[in-house]
Amino acid sequence: MRKQFVWLAFYGLALSISPTLSLSASKQTSKFMQSQQNVSGRVVAANGRPISGATVSLNGTQTSTTTDGDGHFSIQAKQGQQLRITHVSYQSTEITVQQTSFIVTLQDIQGALDEVVVVGYGKQSKADVTGALTQLKADDIRQGMPISVDNMLQGKVSGVRIAQSSGEPGAGLDVFIRGVGSIRSGSTPLFVVDGIPLSNENVSAASPDFGLGSTQAKNPLNFLNTSDIDAITVLKDASATAIYGARGSNGVVLITTKSGKNMEPSLTYDGSVGSSSVIKKLDLLTASEYRNALLDEAYDHGGNTDWQDVIFRKGVNQNHNLSFAKSTGSGNYLGSLSRMTQEGIVQNSDFKRTTGRLNAEESFFDNKRLRIKMNLTASDINETGIPNGSSAGSDGQVIIHALMANPTRTVRDENGDFTNFNMNAHYNPAYLLDIYEDKTNTFRVLGNIEASFRIIEGLDYRINYGLDKSTSERSTTIYPNMTDRRPKGAYMQNNLNALTTLLDQFLTYNFATGKHTFETLAGFSYQQFSFAGTAFGMEGIAEKGEGVAPEHNPGYLGTPLSPSGYAQKNELQSYFGRANYNYDNRYLLTASLRADGSTRFGTDQKYGYFPSFAIGWNMANEPFMEPLSAIRELKIRGSWGQTGNQEVPNKITQASYSLDPSAGYYLYDDLGLVNGVTVNRTANPGLKWEVVEQFNVGADFDLWNGLLYGSIEYYNKKTKDPILNIPAAPLSPTTTVWKNVEAQLINKGFEFMLGTRLFSTDDFQWNLDVNGSTLSNVIKDLPVSELYSGSISGPGLSGVTANIYKNGYEAGSFFMLKHIGYDQEGNDLFEDINGDGTVNTADRQIFEGAIPNFNFGVNNQLRYKGVDFAFSLIGQTGGYLVNNTALDLNINSLASDRNVLAKFQQDGANPNNAVQLSSLYLEKSDFIRLNNVQLGYTIPKQLIKFMKSCRVYVSAQNLLTISDYSGYDPLVNTMKAVGGNQSLGIDYTTYPAAKSVLFGATLKF
């Protein structure tokens, strides 16, 4: 082959120098071309996307092959012979062999199953997929100005529910795929970016608790520029996720970033600017209403202040993204640079991010035998936060202080200083914001390099090396103040370093014979996770504005606090394989197996094994379906499989000890105490993964030429062998032990996506799709009577919980007294369920929980010539929330110089009512929201000849919410875990969501 290349090069050079050589050389070349040789190519769709699984056959022979995941193929043929390229989702075509390398474009049949989708460790035609998955393209998800990937999934995928733990810019979100999959190990899915599985560990530190609560770590996904995303694929059932084994139990989200696609270079600028404001204000007593309701005139301080207006603001948001891309005959590349700034709707909370990305791919050797691909992202994030930690008590958050603040008080006194409330555990919220600073800087680099080498026709070897490195510094300061919370001031710096390395190696072998097509995969993966953190600080620091700020010089003034630190390392070693079989594009079979070994588990259970099986039937390709012209595509599929959950505390299989003077003894007569050894944790080398077993059956269809298309699913998902910290057996060295219990957490339901192309002409297109999902959740066979979670904050409510895990009920059901109204004096009335004449904790009842039984989304897109209009709706029904904020704003506060919710005073509640958790604060979380509205206009090309295109748009998010929930937002889930057990459905002064409007433009050159 090398001699042939040398000869051709010499021939080309000679031809260009001497025309007299042309005839002779042409004769020799023609003779040469008559011999059989290796012909390679790439099959793509009209939009440039590669088509995998296409059959390439040599007419008149039995020779055939199939395209790989990137659309490449290679076949032996002679010049002049005919190649036929076929695919179930595209129009077939024939070409004449005239050269050794070419690109074939297949025309779209315009079916719902025609696209190529990303799956674990590869790509597949959607027509060949047997698992439950949904792929979203960039145009489907790029609406508004989302900070992170999880924001982009809201309302787009059936079976996926997203709730915010905080509306603060850059804060974390809770993503649930097909319900709550674990009692204590979390429900966060596995995110995979360009082939790199991300750790679900934090990449930034939580804030210290200065008596104002500890705020959570920032969202680990906010490092990725959402403008760089090309597609997001959500894997839901076990057939789709089992290839990821021990981390696939909560679903898998595959994120693919953009690459160069056009042969000509393209320069794109995408920018927007807008503003945001609080989604709603709570209905508190105004100053005049407060005066009318007062029992003690001493609580009238003569002012008139709306404290919500004091802490809330209109935030200004900007996003600028510049990218350059190009593809060549042998590869492609893309580079991008972006800057995002977002002001939070609460004073002093901001998010600023700078990201750079470089993606490149190049091919080498004959017929692109070797392909090398590189992806690299670097991000620098600066965030400022507020004292609003969910771990605080009833008085430890700036938002609850603003809501409780007496509206007759003023922000500043007659001297211009912040008004001092002179109250324990209740402070001027504007003053709190002034004395508190919380700054986080996180620098993160995510990159990988992947090489693919074609060993023989159909057999490819791939190696992927990835690196995820982050460093974070969080500096938190409370300056000397007039409160009882660190009145001398304090400074704390928390540093966190995280490093994840990945090495994947796998072989793929694809071949076809007759009507049989096989795709096989076998590989090995090794991933190492390292985390280390340090903390140090000072107390008794200088006044604000005096000297050097402690974040720049911690030793300027004060007394050092004891430093601390930690380090941990985990490893995951895996073997995996998958086989796909396709008979005549009608009958499909998929099987996979992954074996995972983790250092998180003990010597007896190092490895877990996670199999899956799936079948599919492309019924529309059957001969007997030909008369039914209305059915263009119809596929029936079913799957079963097992996945795992390894998200447990590190090294809990091993014993833990500490030196403790309480367990000490006196060794000598000098009364010198020798510390004794205390056992903190009992070893359990038999601890193993939680296992999720899932059955799924579904159908994909396209009817009446796209007038109706979509999918329907039924799933039954069982979590078995859950890991719990339960009471230990007698004579155990500790009171509790970590172990697997023979319990089940069952999620089951139906999902659907229905879409329609109502109109499709050159001038007018109208597409509409609706997705929805039902969910039933129940706990079975729990070996203990109940588990509790969901700590409640409020005066006198220390140790009170709202969630219960109990057999026969859904996870995180609510457990409390039932409020049945007020008597004539406005006293609370509760149901005495045991009839003993006394209402106490024995009268608590179990109520429905937080998990909605139905979620839905509606997405609409219209285009008329250069004008486009889109909107999306989201909603849920059947869930409940404990409004812990309302509990803190109960009528009792009226008797203690604090404000209350207007509804309590209007209902005639007695201010002397004791504060206690009851169904009075249990509210439905049903809602429907206009999630996004966007109107755009593409300027005609004749007006902007120097550009390829120019589109301007206006977009609005969270514009309208219809709900009876009295809190800020019904789509909320404050983290209030107890004993590691998940809390569900508690709303405690959560940073509110924002509604925003922005103006933007996309310019392409």
Side-chain angles (χ1 to χ4, degrees):
M1 184 64 71
R2 181 178 299 173
K3 291 181 179 179
Q4 293 174 357
F5 279 127
V6 172
W7 189 92
L8 286 173
F10 174 80
Y11 159 68
L13 179 63
L15 182 64
S16 64
I17 295 175
S18 176
T20 60
L21 296 176
S22 179
L23 179 61
S24 173
S26 296
K27 289 180 179 179
Q28 294 182 44
T29 303
S30 177
K31 183 177 180 180
F32 168 74
M33 288 297 187
Q34 294 304 311
S35 62
Q36 195 175 58
Q37 57 192 301
N38 193 57
V39 175
S40 66
R42 192 179 191 217
V43 181
V44 299
N47 61 5
R49 289 182 177 274
I51 299 175
S52 66
T55 300
V56 182
S57 56
L58 189 63
N59 283 353
T61 72
Q62 296 294 318
T63 303
S64 65
T65 186
T66 59
T67 57
D68 63 16
D70 292 318
H72 294 286
F73 72 89
S74 180
I75 194 170
Q76 294 291 317
K78 298 179 181 178
Q79 185 185 29
Q81 287 187 304
Q82 297 284 322
L83 291 180
R84 179 173 176 78
I85 297 93
T86 61
H87 192 283
V88 65
S89 302
Y90 297 86
Q91 297 178 16
S92 301
T93 189
E94 292 186 356
I95 62 170
T96 301
V97 177
Q98 295 179 338
Q99 54 195 35
T100 59
S101 181
F102 44 81
I103 296 177
V104 182
T105 300
L106 296 186
Q107 296 302 315
D108 199 340
I109 300 179
Q110 300 295 328
L113 304 181
D114 55 7
E115 62 181 313
V116 174
V117 296
V118 179
V119 296
Y121 301 98
K123 299 177 182 178
Q124 268 189 297
S125 164
K126 193 172 181 180
D128 297 335
V129 170
T130 53
L133 60 83
T134 300
Q135 178 164 287
L136 302 173
K137 305 293 179 57
D139 292 340
D140 301 325
I141 53 182
R142 189 73 177 93
Q143 297 176 348
M145 197 172 74
I147 288 182
S148 62
V149 176
D150 33 16
N151 290 103
M152 305 173 78
L153 297 175
Q154 188 72 270
K156 301 295 184 182
V157 182
S158 62
V160 177
R161 177 176 177 264
I162 298 173
Q164 64 176 24
S165 57
S166 171
E168 187 175 10
L173 297 174
D174 293 323
V175 181
F176 301 94
I177 298 179
R178 292 187 167 180
V180 177
S182 178
I183 294 176
R184 64 152 293 106
S185 298
S187 295
T188 303
L190 173 67
F191 289 88
V192 182
V193 179
D194 289 330
I196 303 180
L198 304 182
S199 168
N200 284 332
E201 299 287 345
N202 294 324
V203 295
S204 64
S207 72
D209 189 349
F210 290 151
L212 300 172
S214 174
T215 58
Q216 297 296 319
K218 306 299 183 177
N219 189 342
L221 293 175
N222 64 21
F223 77 101
L224 194 62
N225 175 19
T226 54
S227 295
D228 286 335
I229 295 175
D230 184 52
I232 300 176
T233 305
V234 181
L235 311 180
K236 296 186 285 188
D237 75 334
S239 173
T241 62
I243 196 67
Y244 289 102
R247 291 184 289 171
S249 65
N250 294 319
V252 180
V253 179
L254 306 178
I255 301 166
T256 305
T257 57
K258 294 177 180 178
S259 59
K261 296 178 181 178
N262 300 318
M263 297 298 289
E264 295 183 0
S266 63
L267 180 66
T268 303
Y269 167 77
D270 186 11
S272 62
V273 60
S275 65
S276 56
S277 57
V278 66
I279 194 170
K280 65 179 285 190
K281 290 169 60 177
L282 298 192
D283 187 14
L284 303 168
L285 294 180
T286 64
S288 59
E289 292 171 338
Y290 189 84
R291 289 187 177 96
N292 293 332
L294 276 179
L295 303 178
D296 186 347
E297 293 184 359
Y299 295 155
D300 183 354
H301 303 284
N304 185 356
T305 305
D306 186 329
W307 289 98
Q308 292 183 86
D309 288 344
V310 170
I311 66 167
F312 293 139
R313 66 177 176 182
K314 281 190 176 294
V316 177
N317 312 316
Q318 295 187 60
N319 188 28
H320 304 279
N321 184 75
L322 185 67
S323 63
F324 176 74
K326 184 183 179 181
S327 68
T328 66
S330 60
N332 63 77
Y333 55 87
L334 177 144
S336 72
L337 182 67
S338 72
R339 172 69 172 176
M340 171 184 279
T341 62
Q342 186 171 18
E343 292 181 343
I345 57 173
V346 179
Q347 303 282 351
N348 298 353
S349 57
D350 300 281
F351 177 89
K352 298 178 181 179
R353 179 182 68 199
T354 302
T355 60
R357 169 167 281 274
L358 178 62
N359 288 354
E361 181 177 0
E362 193 55 79
S363 300
F364 303 91
F365 304 147
D366 58 305
N367 302 320
K368 302 180 180 179
R369 180 177 293 271
L370 173 66
R371 288 181 293 125
I372 298 178
K373 183 178 181 181
M374 180 191 72
N375 304 289
L376 180 65
T377 295
S379 70
D380 183 69
I381 301 172
N382 289 285
E383 300 166 273
T384 58
I386 60 173
N388 204 61
S390 61
S391 62
S394 61
D395 60 334
Q397 298 182 325
V398 68
I399 291 179
I400 195 63
H401 284 292
L403 297 175
M404 291 192 301
N406 187 329
T408 67
R409 290 187 182 274
T410 57
V411 179
R412 294 181 181 269
D413 59 24
E414 60 275 8
N415 298 320
D417 299 323
F418 286 107
T419 301
N420 188 347
F421 288 2
N422 290 313
M423 298 175 63
N424 289 330
H426 184 39
Y427 323 109
N428 185 331
Y431 179 61
L432 281 181
L433 289 174
D434 184 69
I435 63 173
Y436 185 88
E437 292 181 356
D438 182 26
K439 300 179 181 180
T440 303
N441 173 257
T442 304
F443 183 76
R444 188 171 186 179
V445 175
L446 177 72
N448 70 306
I449 184 166
E450 177 183 317
S452 174
F453 184 76
R454 187 174 68 253
I455 300 173
I456 59 174
E457 178 58 33
L459 179 62
D460 285 8
Y461 165 74
R462 292 192 182 187
I463 182 171
N464 179 29
Y465 177 76
L467 183 75
D468 184 5
K469 170 68 174 178
S470 62
T471 60
S472 179
E473 178 184 292
R474 187 164 190 168
S475 298
T476 309
T477 307
I478 183 170
Y479 289 99
N481 58 82
M482 297 180 294
T483 75
D484 58 352
R485 303 303 166 101
R486 296 293 182 111
K488 295 182 180 181
Y491 169 79
M492 182 68 71
Q493 184 179 121
N494 289 290
N495 302 308
L496 191 150
N497 292 282
L499 174 64
T500 299
T501 55
L502 169 75
L503 178 63
D504 283 341
Q505 299 183 77
F506 53 97
L507 291 168
T508 59
Y509 184 45
N510 303 329
F511 63 96
T513 174
K515 297 181 179 180
H516 306 276
T517 303
F518 298 87
E519 298 178 5
T520 59
L521 165 73
F524 167 81
S525 178
Y526 173 80
Q527 197 162 9
Q528 184 182 87
F529 311 90
S530 301
F531 301 91
T534 58
F536 65 89
M538 307 287 289
E539 62 180 355
I541 63 175
E543 297 284 343
K544 184 177 181 180
E546 178 184 318
V548 182
E551 64 176 295
H552 303 304
N553 185 4
Y556 174 75
L557 183 67
T559 303
L561 298 170
S562 297
S564 62
Y566 71 93
Q568 66 179 44
K569 182 180 292 185
N570 294 309
E571 296 173 319
L572 188 68
Q573 179 174 275
S574 311
Y575 303 88
F576 55 88
R578 181 176 60 213
N580 297 323
Y581 170 67
N582 180 328
Y583 176 74
D584 197 24
N585 289 323
R586 290 185 291 164
Y587 309 118
L588 312 170
L589 175 65
T590 300
S592 70
L593 176 66
R594 181 165 179 133
D596 278 323
S598 173
T599 57
R600 288 179 181 263
F601 295 93
T603 55
D604 297 344
Q605 296 289 344
K606 280 293 185 187
Y607 277 87
Y609 301 91
F610 307 100
S612 76
F613 304 93
I615 57 174
W617 179 23
N618 277 320
M619 187 185 298
N621 295 337
E622 294 288 356
F624 64 80
M625 296 292 289
E626 292 183 2
L628 303 176
S629 59
I631 302 177
R632 186 165 63 184
E633 294 171 349
L634 177 61
K635 179 172 68 175
I636 309 298
R637 49 187 168 75
S639 68
W640 172 91
Q642 292 182 335
T643 50
N645 190 342
Q646 69 149 12
E647 299 302 321
V648 295
N650 194 35
K651 305 298 188 293
I652 62 172
T653 62
Q654 301 176 14
S656 173
Y657 306 93
S658 64
L659 295 176
D660 188 351
S662 65
Y665 54 93
Y666 297 99
L667 183 61
Y668 303 108
D669 295 336
D670 60 1
L671 300 182
L673 181 65
V674 178
N675 290 333
V677 176
T678 297
V679 180
N680 300 319
R681 184 174 59 224
T682 299
N684 182 6
L687 194 72
K688 61 182 180 180
W689 281 270
E690 293 184 354
V691 175
V692 174
E693 184 176 280
Q694 188 170 177
F695 167 76
N696 189 94
V697 61
D700 305 310
F701 54 87
D702 189 323
L703 311 177
W704 301 294
N705 294 321
L707 188 60
L708 179 64
Y709 60 89
S711 63
I712 300 175
E713 312 271 355
Y714 168 78
Y715 67 92
N716 190 309
K717 177 180 173 182
K718 297 180 180 179
T719 300
K720 302 192 295 186
D721 301 324
I723 300 173
L724 297 175
N725 191 19
I726 63 172
L731 302 182
S732 174
T734 57
T735 58
T736 61
V737 62
W738 290 94
K739 63 183 302 184
N740 299 98
V741 299
E742 294 183 1
Q744 295 186 47
L745 181 58
I746 301 173
N747 294 276
K748 58 184 177 180
F750 291 91
E751 299 171 353
F752 68 87
M753 192 287 289
L754 301 176
T756 178
R757 287 183 279 268
L758 293 172
F759 293 95
S760 183
T761 66
D762 291 339
D763 291 335
F764 183 53
Q765 296 91 39
W766 184 4
N767 296 332
L768 174 69
D769 71 71
V770 180
N771 67 77
S773 58
T774 67
L775 175 61
S776 172
N777 176 283
V778 68
I779 297 174
K780 292 184 176 180
D781 304 325
L782 195 66
V784 294
S785 57
E786 63 265 325
L787 296 171
Y788 299 104
S789 189
S791 62
I792 294 297
S793 297
L797 294 175
S798 177
V800 175
T801 57
N803 290 134
I804 186 171
Y805 291 85
K806 190 176 180 66
N807 285 326
Y809 296 92
E810 73 175 47
S813 295
F814 295 118
F815 189 47
M816 63 190 67
L817 297 174
K818 183 177 181 180
H819 189 270
I820 57 177
Y822 302 100
D823 63 16
Q824 293 181 348
E825 286 76 34
N827 298 314
D828 288 318
L829 296 176
F830 304 101
E831 185 173 7
D832 180 12
I833 61 172
N834 58 16
D836 63 358
T838 301
V839 175
N840 52 32
T841 57
D843 295 300
R844 289 179 295 175
Q845 303 180 35
I846 296 179
F847 295 85
E848 290 184 68
I851 304 173
N853 54 37
F854 182 64
N855 291 273
F856 64 90
V858 179
N859 300 283
N860 183 85
Q861 294 180 331
L862 296 97
R863 182 183 297 274
Y864 177 69
K865 294 185 177 179
V867 179
D868 60 89
F869 175 72
F871 70 83
S872 63
L873 302 171
I874 61 173
Q876 67 183 36
T877 62
Y880 288 81
L881 288 173
V882 171
N883 192 339
N884 197 168
T885 305
L887 181 62
D888 268 14
L889 299 172
N890 65 81
I891 194 65
N892 181 273
S893 295
L894 197 60
S896 56
D897 204 5
R898 295 174 171 88
N899 206 354
V900 301
L901 287 173
K903 69 173 184 177
F904 294 133
Q905 197 271 336
Q906 293 165 0
D907 291 343
N910 191 325
N912 295 317
N913 284 343
V915 181
Q916 53 186 320
L917 177 64
S918 74
S919 61
L920 176 63
Y921 308 104
L922 187 63
E923 302 183 44
K924 285 189 174 183
S925 62
D926 299 355
F927 77 92
I928 183 170
R929 172 174 294 166
L930 184 56
N931 198 47
N932 181 272
V933 181
Q934 190 168 105
L935 177 65
Y937 178 66
T938 302
I939 299 174
K941 288 186 177 180
Q942 57 268 28
L943 300 179
I944 49 168
K945 295 182 180 180
F946 63 95
M947 295 185 190
K948 291 181 180 179
S949 68
C950 176
R951 176 177 178 266
V952 293
Y953 59 90
V954 58
S955 179
Q957 289 78 44
N958 295 344
L959 200 59
L960 174 67
T961 301
I962 301 174
S963 177
D964 291 332
Y965 182 61
S966 65
Y968 283 118
D969 187 4
L971 198 57
V972 64
N973 186 46
T974 307
M975 296 181 182
K976 304 286 283 183
V978 174
N981 301 323
Q982 287 196 79
S983 65
L984 299 170
I986 297 177
D987 179 9
Y988 180 54
T989 61
T990 304
Y991 190 115
K995 57 183 177 182
S996 60
V997 177
L998 60 89
F999 300 87
T1002 302
L1003 314 178
K1004 295 184 178 181
F1005 301 91

